[in-house]
Amino acid sequence: MLLTLCLFLVSAGAIYLACEYFVNGIEWLGRKLSLGATATGTVLAAFGTALPESAVTFVAVIFGKTPEARDIGVGAAMGGPLVLATIAYAVVGVALWGNRHRLQRADRLVRVDHRRLARDQSWFLAIFAVKVGLGLVAFALKPWLGVLFLLAYAMYVWREMRSDDSAPEDEELEPLKLRPHQAEPAMRWVAAQTVAALVVIAVASRVFVGQLEAIGEAFALPPHLVALVLSPVATELPETLNALIWVRQGKERLALANISGAMMIQATIPSALAIFATPWLFDAPLIVSGALTAAAIVYLWWLFRRGRVDARWLLPVGLLYAVFAGFVAWHFAH
């Protein structure tokens, strides 16, 4: 048990440290590729950090030999968006609130493109509604509909890559950590730092999830509680830590872009894989997960559509995950 706890803490620390290098490298990569400021978060950062959990879904649904093994992939495809829509946004709110004085801000307002974020929420909600609807019915052609989710993500990336928005002047790009004394590091160093950090994140995340499952077994927690409640939090840890790091730097625009982009990936690519390879039929916990995710997105859409968001208003959305955890615990106890 002591070894498990040590690995748990070491892997968590490794993920945070690697995220520090990743967010720094991804900002430089966005500049080198001449991408819009927000596209750096929604496409590059989101795709990189969502890769590990997408791989979990792929392995579970494609190579899983039992229905239970494939169900892990379906749970991951539903659990990821719920964590991002609730805990990740709440973390941004807490971080902004707590770092207000350090950032020398006179208010608690979230400095982002509100209209763009509201539009992202509506995109996600439309795709997510179809995704949940397919989980409630059974018909022969369902597997083919997975292609639509891949096309939806391709359209989203195309739209983001065409964006030419730029970072606000007060958002300074810190020197590349591998070349701190170079004003303009070479592309090979930027790529090396970004890829190396991503590899560490992926490996450390797998260790972290494994130790979390071992701790669950040691404390006799129900397997379903660990799989549906704790594991999604662990697999979305890189996105959450990226957001925390960017917020502490006063770059909540990048933080929320990363979360928004990761949510779009989670709503499409893992879902498409699971629809291809499984019956994609939901039980009660997955239905509740979908309903709470939709509720969180509607609330976030309403907030950003107003055009003025206080950091404290992001905190209540995190309570929805506690509601889900409570329901899962009650469901499997009866």
Side-chain angles (χ1 to χ4, degrees):
M1 187 61 186
L2 182 60
L3 177 60
T4 296
L5 289 174
C6 287
L7 286 174
F8 179 81
L9 295 174
V10 169
S11 59
I15 293 171
Y16 183 85
L17 183 62
C19 282
E20 288 268 12
Y21 279 77
F22 179 77
V23 298
N24 174 248
I26 212 72
E27 286 187 71
W28 273 103
L29 188 58
R31 172 184 283 191
K32 292 290 186 181
L33 297 177
S34 300
L35 291 181
T38 303
T40 299
T42 57
V43 178
L44 289 185
F47 186 80
T49 52
L51 207 56
E53 53 263 40
S54 296
V56 171
T57 303
F58 176 78
V59 171
V61 300
I62 302 299
F63 299 106
K65 297 180 180 179
T66 65
E68 291 76 16
R70 295 190 182 95
D71 284 346
I72 293 175
V74 177
M78 290 297 293
L82 177 59
V83 171
L84 292 171
T86 56
I87 294 177
Y89 274 96
V91 165
V92 170
V94 170
L96 274 175
W97 191 4
N99 286 279
R100 180 168 63 93
H101 296 297
R102 194 177 66 83
L103 295 173
Q104 299 181 342
R105 294 186 179 180
D107 55 45
R108 302 181 185 85
L109 296 181
V110 182
R111 289 160 170 75
V112 292
D113 184 341
H114 298 87
R115 180 180 299 179
R116 182 171 186 148
L117 270 175
R119 185 182 61 193
D120 278 358
Q121 306 307 319
S122 60
W123 263 68
F124 177 86
L125 187 60
I127 294 171
F128 192 77
V130 175
K131 167 179 170 173
V132 173
L134 289 177
L136 303 178
V137 295
F139 55 94
L141 295 178
K142 185 191 292 188
W144 293 98
L145 297 182
V147 175
L148 298 179
F149 290 91
L150 298 179
L151 292 175
Y153 184 68
M155 289 180 60
Y156 173 78
V157 170
W158 176 76
R159 190 197 73 183
E160 293 297 302
M161 297 294 277
R162 291 178 68 244
S163 171
D164 59 355
D165 65 327
S166 57
E169 292 182 359
D170 60 347
E171 287 190 9
E172 296 182 1
L173 181 56
E174 296 181 352
L176 188 73
K177 290 186 181 295
L178 288 185
R179 283 291 185 268
H181 303 299
Q182 290 185 0
E184 194 66 33
M187 180 64 170
R188 66 178 181 275
W189 289 109
V190 173
Q193 176 176 309
T194 305
V195 172
L198 186 58
V199 170
V200 173
I201 290 171
V203 174
S205 293
R206 294 307 304 143
V207 174
F208 186 82
V209 173
Q211 304 318 303
L212 187 64
E213 293 171 349
I215 291 172
E217 291 178 3
F219 285 96
L221 296 178
H224 288 90
L225 185 65
V226 176
L228 291 175
V229 177
L230 299 183
S231 290
V233 175
T235 55
E236 301 304 330
L237 191 61
E239 286 87 350
T240 306
L241 290 179
N242 281 353
L244 179 62
I245 292 166
W246 267 321
V247 168
R248 290 180 66 249
Q249 297 174 357
K251 300 177 181 178
E252 62 264 40
R253 178 190 50 79
L254 274 170
L256 293 178
N258 187 192
I259 295 172
S260 182
M263 285 175 61
M264 191 61 67
I265 291 177
Q266 293 293 347
T268 53
I269 296 178
S271 302
L273 294 172
I275 290 171
F276 287 146
T278 73
W280 191 253
L281 288 173
F282 294 173
D283 55 10
L286 291 179
I287 293 173
V288 171
S289 168
L292 292 174
T293 303
I297 295 302
V298 170
Y299 174 71
L300 292 168
W301 172 81
W302 174 76
L303 276 185
F304 291 117
R305 186 170 177 269
R306 297 171 73 249
R308 182 181 173 87
V309 180
D310 188 300
R312 294 172 296 181
W313 298 349
L314 294 175
L315 272 59
V317 78
L319 297 176
L320 291 176
Y321 202 79
V323 172
F324 176 66
F327 172 80
V328 172
W330 172 84
H331 177 78
F332 288 106
H334 290 76

